Each structure stands twice: as structure tokens, then as C-alpha cells.
Amino acid sequence: MRAGELAAVRARLEEFASDVFAPLVRRDQRAKGSLYLRGLLLDGRRKSMQPMADRLGVDHQQLQQFMTSSTWPVDQVRARLAWRAVAAVRPQVWVVDDTGFPKDGRSSPGVARQYSGTLGKVGNCQIGVSVHAASDTASCPLSWRLFLPAAWDGPEAEARRRACRIPDTEHHRPKWQLALDMLDELDGHGLRPAVLVADTGYGANADFRHGLEDRGRAYVLQVKAEMTAYGEDAEPQQPAYGGLGPRPLPRYRIRPVSLREHVLAAGRGSGRTVTWRKGSKAAMSSHFVLLRVRLAGRRPKPADDGTIPLSWLIAQWPEGESEPVKYWISNLPADIPAKDLIRLAKARWRIEHDYRELKTALGLDHFEGRSFTGWHRHVTLVTAAHLFLTEQRRTPKAPARA
């Protein structure tokens, strides 16, 4: 925003900041939080602390002290932002994903040579995992976690951990586990998704799927064609009992086949063309095959009678293609309309819009500090800036949590 545009919404921004920074008990902390927020919203090529301070006309030490050494509860600010985001966005889904923060050197917390979808290759970067609330018309992050690679654990990493002030309680955890942790934290604040969606990085992970099922979460997850499943009509068989030891559990006696094989056997003619939303230029539509299957793969979770529950298999098979190009699975009810199921499967496009705006306009990946806590504070305040803009687009008077 240009200085004049920011001045025009100054009253609304002050009201927003007053609510978001209410957990900060000291007046000077609330003032610095509002200052940092204005710095993120003002136009500028870089949104690191020195350039922002220059544009704001203040000493950058004020911002640095607030972000790295001041004691204030980022988790409570994050909770208030999540409540406001859900009220503003009115989400149809929550989206889990991760994004890369390219870095030079080895000093930033969590930096390592690792694959980044942002780079499209292995590179020196940090990875942030996020959960977003999304509808067809708006979206906003709800929570963030910095991924710590395994190289940041162990005695050889002690010096780097100490320099980055990484708490002793924070260690390497898989990205899918960080996502579940955020869902648990949000649940503790009284927020739960109607449906959760994610790409293959999460959908192909059995532990993540089981974690969602154990928490009673509905999902539509993109997966790989190689995932295996039994057909809808497959039934477990009870092995003969030899009379010694516990009775064997019922199990499926046939070999599961890949999702690709299931869809190819059904044929493209068994599918239908579905329009799931209006795009900026034309309606978004494609051809889909929908089947009911019983997921096999690694560590399936059958019922006591050995039956694996039915799941939806959604395959996108455009005209002119010899086989499907994308696959999803879902534990949503059997009677959900096909259009609704496909619309949910396609809903994660909003997160790419978020990442683009968060980085190009608001400086998500511009933080140059070396503090683990500072990183989480920066992404939280960037989220606040993004939410403020989202609220202004949605309504002239933003809602606040009661």
C-alpha cells in the first residue's frame, strides 16, 4: 500500500491492531507490533527490518528488539488471528501445505539443502509448514511451523541451535506431524475444519491420513497413482482355525492393485464431465472417474471384522489423455454429490495465491534474523498484514472476536 492508501485506512488498522495485539500486556509492545504491521503493509521492495524502519522513519533497533528479544506471546496473537480469519473467510476447507524460504549460508534456523517446491529443486533453504482457511473467494493462513531437518538435532548441531535460540523442546519432526500439531492447537482454540485438503506430499503419507482419521477429520487428499486399494466388493476371509493360540483375524485374500489400475479397469467412459467453479476467464471443468475403494498400502486400519472402510477415489482424466493425470482420495460420505466432492478436491489452488501475495507483497521470506522465535513472530505478523488486507476486501468493517 502507498503511504496515502495506508493513511486512509489508519483508523481501521488501529482497531485491527488493538484486537490482534491485545494479549501483549505492555503498551510499548503493542505499539511496536502496530509499527511492524504498518511496515509490512507499506510498499517497498524489501520487508526486512532495516528497510522497513527507514520507510517508517524509526530506528530499526526498535523492530529488532521487538522481534528477537522482547517477551510476548506469539501463540496468543496467532490464536486471535485464526479466529478473525475464519470469521472473514468463512472457509469451505482448510489447506495444509509448505513453502520454501531460499537462504544463503547456514546460520538461519532450520536452513539446509533440501527439496523446495518454491525452487523446484534441492536448494539451500528453510521450509515453513502452514495451515490455511480457504473458500472460492478468499483465503488466509491460520498457523505456521518452521521445519527443522534432522541435521539440526544432535551434539554437532548444539552451537547452531544455541545461536538461533532454538528451545530444547523443538527438534526434528516430519512435516506431516507439524501439520497435525497445528490442527491440534487450533482445535484447542475451538476451531476445526469442515474438510481438510492437501497435496501428495501429505496425502500419500499413511501416518498423516491415520492422524486425521483418529481426530475425526474429513479430508480430500491428492495421492499418487501407485497407491494400492481393494475394490468396493472385496471382502475379508476368515482363515481356518488350527486350534492353537488366538484365532487369526479376517483378512483380504486377493492382491490389492494400484489406483491407476482400478480407474483404467473402469474406463474413461464410466466417468463424467464436471464443472467445479467459475474461473477468471471461463468455467473450470474436466472429466472425472469416481470409484469407491478400500485403501490397502502401508498399515491399513481394518475394523474388528477385518473390513477396510470404503473411501472415494477421484481421478481426473482429461480428453486426449491415455490415462488419468491426477488422483485424490476422500473419507467423505458416500452420498456427497460428485460436483461437491470435486470442488473440494480442487480447493487447494487458493494456497498458491496466498503464498504469492505473502511473499511478493508482504515480505514473508524477507526475514533476515537468526532467531527461531523471531521467524515465527515474523510469519505471524505477515499473516496479520495479509488478514487485514483480506478483511478490507471482504467488508468495509472487519469483524473482531468477541
Side-chain angles (χ1 to χ4, degrees), residues 227-336:
M227 181 182 288
T228 58
Y230 301 100
E232 180 178 9
D233 297 331
E235 295 181 355
Q237 304 296 318
Q238 178 66 58
Y241 180 50
L244 296 175
R247 290 183 177 274
L249 297 174
R251 59 180 182 268
Y252 291 86
R253 308 293 291 183
I254 60 174
R255 181 181 67 85
V257 300
S258 70
L259 302 184
R260 178 189 290 110
E261 291 176 80
H262 280 289
V263 179
L264 292 178
R268 189 175 185 276
S270 66
R272 69 198 83 175
T273 298
V274 175
T275 299
W276 64 89
R277 69 177 177 87
K278 294 181 179 179
S280 58
K281 297 181 179 179
M284 307 292 288
S285 64
S286 187
H287 196 81
F288 296 87
V289 175
L290 279 71
L291 302 174
R292 299 286 280 167
V293 297
R294 304 179 189 275
L295 298 176
R298 187 166 60 92
R299 295 196 297 277
K301 297 183 72 174
D304 292 342
D305 64 356
T307 302
I308 296 174
L310 286 167
S311 298
W312 279 108
L313 164 57
I314 308 123
Q316 183 177 358
W317 195 338
E319 184 178 357
E321 298 288 344
S322 60
E323 63 177 79
V325 295
K326 291 183 180 179
Y327 297 81
W328 296 264
I329 56 171
S330 175
N331 63 351
L332 285 166
D335 59 354
I336 184 173

Side-chain angles (χ1 to χ4, degrees), residues 41-115:
L41 288 167
L42 274 173
D43 283 348
R45 185 174 180 180
R46 290 291 297 175
K47 301 294 178 76
S48 52
M49 284 182 271
Q50 182 70 63
M52 285 200 301
D54 291 343
R55 287 190 291 272
L56 293 165
V58 301
D59 184 348
H60 83 281
Q61 295 290 341
Q62 293 186 45
L63 301 182
Q64 186 172 15
Q65 187 271 341
F66 174 70
M67 295 300 288
T68 59
S69 58
S70 180
T71 56
W72 55 275
V74 66
D75 54 333
Q76 294 179 35
V77 173
R78 195 161 56 211
R80 297 183 81 85
L81 288 170
W83 269 96
R84 288 188 71 117
V86 169
V89 172
R90 298 188 293 276
Q92 299 155 348
V93 298
W94 287 10
V95 188
V96 168
D97 209 340
D98 53 72
T99 188
F101 297 69
K103 290 290 180 180
D104 296 322
R106 301 175 63 251
S107 300
S108 299
V111 72
R113 285 193 58 79
Q114 52 193 327
Y115 179 79

Side-chain angles (χ1 to χ4, degrees), residues 107-140:
S107 300
S108 299
V111 72
R113 285 193 58 79
Q114 52 193 327
Y115 179 79
S116 164
T118 304
L119 298 172
K121 61 181 180 180
V122 173
N124 198 64
C125 62
Q126 297 167 306
I127 300 292
V129 183
S130 57
V131 177
H132 299 233
S135 68
D136 283 342
T137 57
S139 54
C140 191

Side-chain angles (χ1 to χ4, degrees), residues 343-371:
R343 177 177 54 81
L344 293 169
K346 288 289 189 176
R348 68 167 297 276
W349 72 274
R350 287 287 324 182
I351 203 167
E352 301 301 336
H353 179 278
D354 281 353
Y355 286 152
R356 184 168 57 252
E357 183 173 31
L358 288 161
K359 290 183 177 183
T360 60
L362 298 172
L364 179 69
D365 55 352
H366 293 181
F367 184 65
E368 296 175 353
R370 300 289 188 258
S371 162

